[in-house]
Amino acid sequence: MPSSATAVDEGPRSSLDRLLAVRDLPALTPGARRVLEAASRLFYDHGIHAIGVDTIASEAGVTKKTLYDRFGSKEALVVSYLQHRDARWRDHVAANLARVPEPGVDQVLAVFDASNSWMSDNSPKGCSAINARAEIGDGHDGHPVFPEVSGQKVWMLDVFAELCRAARVADPDDTARLFMLLYEGALVTVGMETFAEPFAVARAAAEGILRGRTAGS
């Protein structure tokens, strides 16, 4: 039987590995892939409500029947768009964390570095999940977008918490919530262009918190 110390050391890492596992999404036919790629560009650039299925089908070079045969509804297509963006984001986070494999302050801060590079290349208008949330109702009307975007944010909170546990940060859950506020604030600031380099500012603030809550720092 492993010692309790071994269980403490391996637990957070195994939990983190599970969080960073490849998101399991249904396979897409070539036609469905074209629809999703067109919808993803249009939804992000112009908004969900501004884009209809006729525009998506035309952009994808398919009929509306193909669109509905593959996805069933516009709402399901929106969810698929968000899921596939999220899967790419998770892969990006995992790749950045793999460059800093040892638990500690630098590994936690790697999430902010990943966010900075992701936003530059993929999200100049801000977070797709936040943007999509702004276009639906109160979140309690059964709309399928809300549980998807909410789940994405809970996942990010869990990643911060597991990284903080692995780094032996004091009160890791509270620290993770602080980091979510920094992270979400930086996401919104990117879209609003309030000031330059918001993730650098968020990273510096997070580092200050970590240095104060990590033994030996």
Side-chain angles (χ1 to χ4, degrees):
M1 178 179 295
S3 67
S4 58
T6 301
V8 170
D9 289 342
E10 293 182 352
R13 293 306 297 274
S14 63
S15 296
L16 182 62
D17 288 342
R18 287 194 294 273
L19 284 168
L20 296 176
V22 175
R23 186 165 182 178
D24 187 20
L25 296 173
L28 297 174
T29 66
R33 174 67 62 184
R34 290 198 302 275
V35 170
L36 180 61
E37 289 175 352
S40 297
R41 291 192 301 271
L42 293 165
F43 287 152
Y44 187 79
D45 290 344
H46 303 288
I48 293 167
H49 287 320
I51 298 299
V53 293
D54 290 303
T55 301
I56 296 168
S58 176
E59 182 77 10
V62 302
T63 64
K64 280 203 301 182
K65 182 179 184 301
T66 296
L67 186 153
Y68 283 115
D69 284 347
R70 300 297 183 269
F71 293 95
S73 66
K74 180 183 174 182
E75 287 76 15
L77 177 55
V78 171
V79 171
S80 186
Y81 146 67
L82 293 166
Q83 288 174 336
H84 281 80
R85 275 188 66 97
D86 181 58
R88 290 194 297 114
W89 160 240
R90 294 186 189 197
D91 288 346
H92 185 72
V93 171
N96 276 264
L97 290 176
R99 299 187 190 107
V100 191
E102 292 303 315
V105 168
D106 289 341
Q107 190 182 55
V108 182
L109 296 177
V111 175
F112 292 94
D113 296 331
S115 303
N116 190 48
S117 59
W118 172 267
M119 298 303 285
S120 298
D121 297 336
N122 298 277
S123 298
K125 296 177 70 173
C127 174
S128 58
I130 293 174
N131 296 346
R133 173 66 184 89
E135 292 200 55
I136 65 172
D138 65 4
H140 304 287
D141 55 1
H143 198 292
V145 163
F146 182 76
E148 173 59 32
V149 296
S150 177
Q152 291 179 16
K153 298 305 183 180
V154 170
W155 177 85
M156 194 70 253
L157 177 63
D158 289 344
V159 168
F160 275 129
E162 292 301 336
L163 290 171
C164 287
R165 288 191 187 95
R168 301 188 182 279
V169 176
D171 202 345
D173 292 325
D174 179 67
T175 305
R177 288 189 287 269
L178 288 174
F179 289 172
M180 275 302 291
L181 293 177
L182 291 171
Y183 168 79
E184 292 294 317
L187 286 176
V188 173
T189 302
V190 168
M192 297 300 293
E193 300 182 8
T194 314
F195 57 83
E197 302 296 335
F199 275 105
V201 176
R203 186 190 195 279
E207 183 171 11
I209 293 169
L210 286 167
R211 299 299 180 192
R213 296 192 179 198
T214 305
S217 294

